[in-house]
């Protein structure tokens, strides 16, 4: 896979038509939502699909025989297939979780607990979200393994030579890395990471939380052993995440959570487990949410597809980099070329704390996020205590970036 598929003739996004599908844009305040990196707004067709399924076809899934149970089973299975196909995977390699955080914990408590031991190493990068850092820190502590960090340079990039150096030591069992950083915006060369890690016998987990909502991703072609992402950033509901696991690894992985739905036979002292993805879906799964996430995949395709959304967001990001980069007293972090990054810009306004920045721009209904964005070690590594982050989506316009720039100028005026 190339990181971003280059379609021969990408459809153009009709941004006005996209915007017409978001109810929050009908509010009288004129909200400028630049916080999609934290969670995306939900278009009407996604909400309608959940409403219709929840009202007309809902029952619990798995083994019910009445009409509604059969309809719910059919819908849940179809949703898994749709979600898998959206990123080039298959239903038998697609586990439904509650979030990407749970997906990564599943790998840490299942595959890694069985395959990483004392003296082994796990490699992650300094730019990881806590979701792809804390589980590995805890695992290493439990089993006596060592956690190694790929450093981030001043342009926000990792160094593949450093990765090779770690791999050459022969102890690396897993490389776990973000596809797109949620602070720097860096799009990591995950294809190359997979190639190099596999050549040395290491497995690779990719955290696709920020990538799947903004660029075409082909999990099958990428060949990572584990690829996780989260529904609520792809215009879908909260409460659902996805973990793709290569079939040959999945077959040998022990369960993570245990209980109903993931079993074969349960006796008073022994239990045998279900095979396949069901072994990792203990308890009632997020059924309505799966239907909603499948509808979000349909919605993306209906408005022109991920390649069109990506092209639009790249243009918006380029505009934001130019507009904010031209302002005195604003320092952007991460790569300066929009083609190398995801659809977000984090920055520092000299002399103004990011929380004050966020509060002042919020007075103009501009919604951004301030703080460390669940990436505290990264902020320590780049020597910046906190940043303000604006993140973009299919509905973002240049006028909204202008509104952000004007609001930032206001913050600068207020703080002298
Ligand atoms: C890169 C990255 N990884 C993981 C997560 C965690 O996502 P969730 O809270 O849905 O598990 C996020 C959310 O911001 C993220 O940006």
């Amino acid at each position: 896979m190339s990181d971003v598929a280059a379609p021969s003739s990408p459809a153009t996004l009709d941004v006005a038509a996209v915007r017409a599908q978001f109810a929050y844009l009908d509010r009288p305040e004129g909200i400028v939502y630049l916080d999609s990196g934290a969670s995306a707004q939900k278009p009407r067709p996604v909400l309608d699909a959940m409403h219709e399924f929840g009202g007309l076809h809902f029952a619990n899934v798995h083994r019910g025989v009445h009409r509604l149970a059969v309809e719910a089973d059919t819908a849940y299975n179809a949703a898994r297939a749709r979600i898998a196909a959206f990123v080039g995977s298959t239903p038998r390699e697609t586990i439904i979780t509650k979030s990407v955080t749970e997906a990564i914990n599943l790998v840490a408590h299942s595959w890694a607990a069985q395959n990483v031991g004392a003296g082994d190493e796990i490699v992650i990068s300094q730019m990881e979200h806590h979701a792809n850092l804390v589980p590995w820190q805890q695992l290493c502590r439990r089993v006596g393994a060592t956690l190694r960090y790929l450093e981030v340079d001043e342009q926000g990039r990792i160094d593949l030579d450093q990765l090779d150096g770690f791999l050459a030591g022969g102890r690396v069992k897993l490389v776990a890395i973000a596809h797109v950083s949620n602070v720097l915006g860096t799009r990591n060369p995950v294809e190359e990471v997979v190639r190099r890690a596999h050549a040395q016998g290491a497995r690779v987990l990719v955290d696709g939380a920020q990538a799947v909502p903004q660029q075409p991703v082909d999990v099958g072609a990428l060949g990572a052993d584990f690829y996780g992402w989260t529904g609520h950033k792809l215009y879908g509901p909260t409460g659902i995440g996805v973990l793709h696991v290569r079939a040959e690894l999945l077959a040998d992985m022990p369960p993570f959570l245990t209980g109903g739905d993931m079993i074969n036979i349960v006796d008073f002292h022994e239990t045998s487990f279900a095979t396949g993805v069901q072994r990792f879906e203990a308890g009632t799964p997020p059924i309505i949410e799966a239907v909603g996430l499948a509808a979000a995949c349909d919605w993306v395709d209906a408005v022109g597809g991920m390649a069109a959304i990506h092209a639009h967001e790249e243009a918006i990001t380029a505009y934001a980099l130019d507009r904010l980069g031209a302002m005195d007293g604003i320092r952007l972090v991460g790569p300066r070329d929009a083609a190398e990054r995801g659809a977000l810009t984090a920055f520092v306004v000299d002399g103004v704390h990011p929380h004050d920045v966020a509060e002042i721009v919020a007075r103009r209904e501009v919604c951004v996020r301030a703080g460390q964005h669940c990436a505290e070690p990264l902020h320590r590594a780049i020597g910046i205590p906190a940043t303000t982050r604006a993140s973009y989506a299919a509905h973002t316009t240049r006028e909204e970036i202008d509104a952000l720039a004007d609001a930032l100028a206001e913050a600068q005026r207020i703080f002298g």
Side-chain angles (χ1 to χ4, degrees):
M1 162 187 114
S2 87
D3 261 2
V4 178
S8 45
S9 55
T12 322
L13 199 66
D14 180 345
V15 180
V18 165
R19 287 172 70 83
Q21 299 186 31
F22 289 90
Y24 82 95
L25 286 167
D26 295 338
R27 290 180 54 137
E29 300 91 346
I31 289 173
V32 175
Y33 189 74
L34 302 179
D35 200 17
S36 297
S39 203
Q41 294 293 334
K42 320 304 172 200
R44 286 191 180 92
V46 169
L47 300 171
D48 290 349
M50 292 197 295
H51 190 254
E52 185 189 323
F53 172 76
L56 277 177
H57 308 286
F58 182 76
N60 210 333
V61 290
H62 300 149
R63 291 180 296 275
V65 293
H66 58 77
R67 181 182 298 279
L68 293 181
V70 171
E71 288 181 9
D73 264 348
T74 305
Y76 185 65
N77 293 337
R80 189 198 304 276
R82 181 67 182 100
I83 291 163
F86 186 74
V87 291
S89 183
T90 60
R92 71 190 185 108
E93 295 182 306
T94 299
I95 300 169
I96 302 293
T97 65
K98 107 175 174 316
S99 59
V100 68
T101 300
E102 187 182 278
I104 295 170
N105 273 277
L106 191 164
V107 179
H109 286 269
S110 171
W111 176 85
Q114 201 169 54
N115 289 281
V116 181
D120 289 338
E121 295 177 1
I122 292 180
V123 175
I124 66 172
S125 82
Q126 289 179 330
M127 72 178 86
E128 298 312 311
H129 186 285
H130 297 164
N132 196 30
L133 188 159
V134 183
W136 305 122
Q137 212 175 52
Q138 296 304 303
L139 176 90
C140 287
R141 185 171 286 190
R142 281 197 299 278
V143 304
T146 302
L147 189 57
R148 299 226 176 272
Y149 286 89
L150 294 166
E151 283 164 25
V152 167
D153 70 14
E154 65 293 338
Q155 278 284 306
R157 299 193 193 96
I158 57 162
D159 177 359
L160 288 171
D161 290 342
Q162 191 187 18
L163 173 66
D164 286 342
F166 288 151
L167 291 168
R171 292 175 181 273
V172 178
K173 283 287 166 68
L174 178 74
V175 180
I177 188 152
H179 201 158
V180 171
S181 158
N182 67 317
V183 178
L184 302 170
T186 314
R187 182 178 303 120
N188 283 312
V190 286
E191 204 177 19
E192 194 53 29
V193 169
V194 169
R195 201 183 63 73
R196 292 178 190 219
H198 281 178
Q200 297 296 329
R203 301 292 182 199
V204 178
L205 176 144
V206 177
D207 172 0
Q210 295 290 342
V212 171
Q214 44 177 281
Q215 67 180 61
V217 170
D218 187 336
V219 170
L222 173 61
D225 302 282
F226 309 99
Y227 193 104
W229 53 287
T230 205
H232 65 97
K233 295 187 203 282
L234 183 74
Y235 311 99
T238 50
I240 181 165
V242 186
L243 176 67
H244 307 283
V245 181
R246 287 205 301 120
E248 60 266 39
L249 295 180
L250 191 140
D252 290 334
M253 280 166 54
F256 166 39
L257 302 174
T258 54
D261 267 356
M262 51 71 69
I263 48 82
N264 180 21
I265 295 170
V266 182
D267 203 349
F268 286 105
H269 300 289
E270 286 294 334
T271 295
S272 63
F273 303 120
T275 54
V277 292
Q278 213 178 324
R279 185 158 79 256
F280 303 98
E281 296 183 6
T284 299
I287 308 165
I288 299 180
E289 291 79 0
V291 169
L293 183 53
C297 298
D298 288 345
W299 180 80
V300 165
D301 284 349
V303 298
M306 192 44 87
I309 291 180
H310 175 73
H312 169 70
E313 292 184 9
E314 191 174 293
I316 287 289
T317 305
Y319 185 68
L321 288 168
D322 282 351
R323 190 78 167 77
L324 304 184
M327 291 175 73
D328 282 340
I330 293 196
R331 280 180 291 142
L332 293 154
V333 301
R336 290 306 294 269
D337 181 357
E340 272 187 63
R341 56 185 295 151
L344 60 94
T345 43
F347 52 87
V348 175
V349 181
D350 287 334
V352 192
H353 191 280
H355 287 133
D356 292 327
V357 174
E359 211 175 296
I360 290 165
V361 304
R363 291 182 201 162
R364 293 183 173 208
E365 303 295 354
V366 177
C367 311
V368 296
R369 194 153 289 253
Q372 295 171 327
H373 320 291
C374 293
E376 197 174 337
L378 169 67
H379 283 82
R380 213 161 276 145
I382 62 176
I384 294 174
T387 49
T388 306
R389 182 184 72 185
S391 48
Y392 316 121
H395 47 71
T396 310
T397 62
R398 287 178 177 228
E399 291 71 28
E400 291 182 321
I401 304 297
D402 292 338
L404 169 65
D406 292 347
L408 291 174
E410 164 111 331
Q412 289 177 314
R413 270 194 301 280
I414 291 172
F415 282 84

